[in-house]
Amino acid sequence: MLPRGASSMPPPPNPAPYSPPPRVTLPFGLEILRTFSGAVIFLEILFGTIVWILVASTGVPLPLLQGWVMFVAVTSWFLSIVFLCVFLFGYANRIAVNWNQADFIFHGATFVFYFGAFLLQAATTSLHHFPRKFNSTTQDSILSGREYNISIAASV
């Protein structure tokens, strides 16, 4: 027989072991600039701007190769600014996304595209000494000395 007020049900389990693990999230506002991810986004914006300026300042002798480099620089620059604004203005708290995974995928994709752009820019730079014929009597190198130096800087 049970004492008065007692129940035959066992006590509820301790909720602590069953709670989900804490989620690690990226900060928002100006605090994002103090994180590794914020620093990488800032560097992507800075170096993207530099590459954009350097490639645009050359004569673009090979539009197919350098067009892709320019596309990657401008697109990554724009997406980096959008990604940074999501955290600066606190939209990350309103959008239900795993921001750690999104951050990893964003930086990984940006790395792959920039590496491909680096290879194409380096290929353009390496063709510096090949002649380009304008007609049967006039020849000139693909890149002038100034453009060659700018192209090296853009590759680096």
Side-chain angles (χ1 to χ4, degrees):
M1 192 105 199
L2 293 172
R4 191 172 177 116
S7 152
S8 63
M9 299 285 293
N14 183 1
Y18 300 105
S19 65
R23 260 182 81 172
V24 178
T25 58
L26 295 170
F28 62 94
L30 292 177
E31 291 297 315
I32 189 69
L33 298 176
R34 295 182 181 191
T35 64
F36 179 74
S37 178
V40 170
I41 291 172
F42 178 76
L43 290 175
E44 286 173 2
I45 293 169
L46 177 70
F47 288 123
T49 304
I50 292 170
V51 169
W52 185 2
I53 291 169
L54 289 173
V55 172
S57 68
T58 64
V60 188
L62 301 170
L64 184 62
L65 298 180
Q66 289 183 301
W68 178 253
V69 174
M70 202 60 169
F71 171 77
V72 168
V74 172
T75 304
S76 296
W77 178 83
F78 178 73
L79 291 176
S80 294
I81 288 177
V82 169
F83 199 66
L84 184 62
C85 287
V86 165
F87 291 107
L88 282 177
F89 299 125
Y91 293 123
N93 292 336
R94 299 179 191 158
I95 303 171
V97 172
N98 183 350
W99 287 105
N100 292 323
Q101 185 179 22
D103 186 55
F104 180 77
I105 291 170
F106 176 76
H107 291 306
T110 303
F111 171 77
V112 169
F113 282 114
Y114 265 123
F115 187 74
F118 157 73
L119 293 176
L120 293 176
Q121 185 66 31
T124 301
T125 305
S126 69
L127 299 176
H128 165 63
H129 298 293
F130 285 102
R132 176 172 51 170
K133 292 185 180 183
F134 292 106
N135 55 37
S136 62
T137 60
T138 308
Q139 284 188 359
D140 193 15
S141 63
I142 289 179
L143 294 171
S144 68
R146 178 184 164 275
E147 289 175 340
Y148 178 67
N149 292 335
I150 292 172
S151 189
I152 288 173
S155 295
V156 173

